[in-house]
Amino acid sequence: MTLHLNIEPLHDWMPCGTKPCIIAGPCSAETEEQVIDTAKKLVKIPMVKVLRAGLWKPRTRPGAFEGVGDKGLKWLQRVQAETGLKVTTEVANPVHVEKAMKAGIDILWLGARTVVNPFSVQEISEALKGVDIPIMIKNPLNPDLTTWMGALERISKVGIRKLVAIHRGFSFYQHSPFRNDPMWEIPIELKRLFPELPVIVDPSHICGTRDLLLSVSQRAIDLEMTGLMIEVHNRPKEALTDRQQQITPEHLTSLLSKLIIREPIGSDEFQNLLEELRSEIDKIDQQLIDILARRMTIVEEIGKYKKANKITILQLKRWNQIFSERIHTGQELGLSKEFIMKLLEAVHEESIQKQIDVMNKKD
Ligand code: PEP
Ligand code: MN
């Protein structure tokens, strides 16, 4: 099934002006003073056009601060009136949608815990029928592009054309410096499939701490993402939610000043050299594919030979030997151990599959 998203070309429906679009504000609205004070500081940062604040907070465990709820809507209206910033909040059910729309919230987002559940996304989609504001869809908690695409599709199907994806990283069981591993290949694939879909990166939920924010934000910019959503609190150390990752407005100013905004297209001279290098890469990729195809032909030969002699497919001793030799050779040529391992594992898996096919084939 091919997925079609009918997205309005991004001109001014996200209040970005020039890229990147910066959305900033507290994880949760806590008090009127906190929201207004944070907003008044943020509006002084020219790149910030939208204030975020969670009103209804999905918490992992009951009993934690679950947001101020409805009463925070008035605080967001004050932000609109007193600063001119646009405001966005998370909606997790149709009642939230109705209340946020009535209050004139400018942009809504669906959180990672909602997006994992197609029933919830469908209910919210129904509630969004006829709505003409931008809707941002975070990736689901788990690294599953299809579920993310499914949520985008559900929202698109009710006629929403101002669609945005938010990349907030993925739960990861292995050791990682991140709270949620970015797994950049997933948002990159999403961009490849839907070049017209704006993708905003949420470095706060990816990092979980303040110190990694700059490098993740820079990576997002270098990957031509549309913008950043960063958690900013006027007193982060007192924050009721996500205390470790929130930064002050001053910290945000300094972070944004360090970001290097690179142009996607450079001068003619630059383009020419780039094209030359790219055509070299194209040639090398072609060779790589040819070589891999040749390797698989030989693997099939070996499979036939093993079959004729009733020998098992997996020869662990040989595989271990290949593994350590190749890693060594690769490292000598400046390739990382992790990269060689991933590559060899993929090649080995395909080789085994080819041999299984040979074994199962009726003679
Ligand atoms: C949030 O943005 O504060 C939030 C709860 O994020 P996520 O849905 O990405 O966990
Ligand atoms: Mn948060």
Side-chain angles (χ1 to χ4, degrees):
M1 187 189 75
T2 55
L3 173 60
H4 179 68
L5 300 179
N6 184 9
I7 294 170
E8 199 168 302
L10 186 61
H11 291 305
D12 50 6
W13 58 264
M14 277 298 276
C16 314
T18 55
K19 276 169 73 175
C21 180
I22 308 294
I23 301 171
C27 176
S28 308
E30 297 167 3
T31 65
E32 186 161 7
E33 179 275 330
Q34 168 240 13
V35 172
I36 302 298
D37 186 42
T38 308
K40 288 196 166 160
K41 289 176 171 151
L42 285 173
V43 76
K44 295 196 185 124
I45 308 175
M47 284 167 95
V48 177
K49 301 282 189 249
V50 184
L51 177 116
R52 63 148 283 156
L55 302 179
W56 302 285
K57 298 300 294 178
R59 304 312 305 279
T60 308
R61 297 192 54 208
F65 172 67
E66 292 190 328
V68 293
D70 305 2
K71 73 173 179 215
L73 289 166
K74 282 212 185 67
W75 308 344
L76 296 184
Q77 289 171 334
R78 259 193 80 189
V79 171
Q80 291 169 318
E82 293 177 29
T83 66
L85 286 169
K86 302 278 181 206
V87 293
T88 180
T89 198
E90 173 174 350
V91 288
N93 62 41
V95 177
H96 296 161
V97 173
E98 196 195 324
K99 288 179 175 166
M101 291 309 297
K102 227 183 188 163
I105 301 303
D106 302 290
I107 300 169
L108 303 179
W109 90 78
L110 273 66
R113 284 159 195 77
T114 304
V115 175
V116 285
N117 183 353
F119 286 120
S120 297
V121 177
Q122 189 56 36
E123 274 178 18
I124 295 172
S125 306
E126 308 289 339
L128 286 170
K129 266 190 195 141
V131 163
D132 189 33
I133 62 171
I135 307 295
M136 309 193 289
I137 318 286
K138 287 201 171 194
N139 63 259
L141 296 169
N142 48 325
D144 175 4
L145 178 59
T146 318
T147 306
W148 197 3
M149 283 167 40
L152 286 158
E153 188 182 29
R154 280 178 202 278
I155 305 288
S156 172
K157 274 194 157 170
V158 297
I160 302 286
R161 295 191 60 215
K162 296 172 179 162
L163 262 187
V164 177
I166 301 182
H167 168 44
R168 50 79 79 200
F170 301 92
S171 289
F172 194 51
Y173 63 92
Q174 282 173 25
H175 179 74
S176 164
F178 301 104
R179 175 179 175 192
N180 291 291
D181 200 280
M183 303 186 193
W184 291 104
E185 65 281 8
I186 298 179
I188 288 172
E189 178 63 5
L190 187 70
K191 269 168 70 77
R192 192 186 68 75
L193 292 168
F194 310 107
E196 72 283 20
L197 176 70
V199 182
I200 291 200
V201 175
D202 170 349
S204 303
H205 290 89
I206 291 177
C207 298
T209 58
R210 301 176 185 104
D211 46 347
L212 296 167
L213 284 176
L214 177 60
S215 67
V216 170
S217 303
Q218 185 64 58
R219 174 70 78 90
I221 299 299
D222 292 342
L223 292 172
E224 280 184 52
M225 299 296 178
T226 313
L228 303 169
M229 172 146 122
I230 301 184
E231 286 189 341
V232 179
H233 191 295
N234 60 342
R235 290 182 297 273
K237 289 194 183 116
E238 295 168 21
L240 298 179
T241 55
D242 288 350
R243 189 174 296 164
Q244 304 299 326
Q245 70 197 30
Q246 301 208 57
I247 58 174
T248 60
E250 296 73 31
H251 187 152
L252 180 68
T253 305
S254 134
L255 185 149
L256 293 175
S257 73
K258 289 183 192 139
L259 272 188
I260 303 167
I261 314 285
R262 301 186 174 96
E263 294 297 324
I265 307 235
S267 65
D268 281 355
E269 193 188 335
F270 170 83
Q271 278 302 326
N272 290 343
L273 180 59
L274 189 66
E275 287 313 318
E276 253 177 60
L277 294 171
R278 280 182 176 159
S279 74
E280 283 288 304
I281 293 271
D282 290 347
K283 264 189 254 153
I284 293 173
D285 282 352
Q286 188 57 52
Q287 286 168 2
L288 269 177
I289 292 170
D290 289 345
I291 286 176
L292 285 171
R294 264 170 46 209
R295 190 187 197 281
M296 290 307 158
T297 316
I298 296 174
V299 162
E300 277 176 2
E301 282 304 307
I302 295 180
K304 284 180 198 155
Y305 192 57
K306 283 181 185 165
K307 186 179 184 182
N309 290 283
K310 296 197 168 53
I311 304 276
T312 57
I313 293 175
L314 183 64
Q315 306 270 307
L316 260 187
K317 203 165 146 228
R318 157 93 179 136
W319 175 233
N320 283 334
Q321 182 200 345
I322 292 190
F323 217 76
S324 54
E325 275 177 20
R326 307 288 194 268
I327 286 174
H328 181 73
T329 319
Q331 282 182 314
E332 279 191 343
L333 293 170
L335 301 172
S336 77
K337 183 174 170 184
E338 293 69 34
F339 171 64
I340 305 276
M341 276 168 64
K342 267 196 225 155
L343 182 70
L344 286 177
E345 273 162 12
V347 169
H348 191 228
E349 206 178 301
E350 179 70 7
S351 305
I352 288 186
Q353 189 54 49
K354 283 261 179 282
Q355 295 194 10
I356 289 174
D357 292 348
V358 170
M359 293 278 180
N360 289 342
K361 205 166 154 202
K362 294 223 161 61
D363 298 308

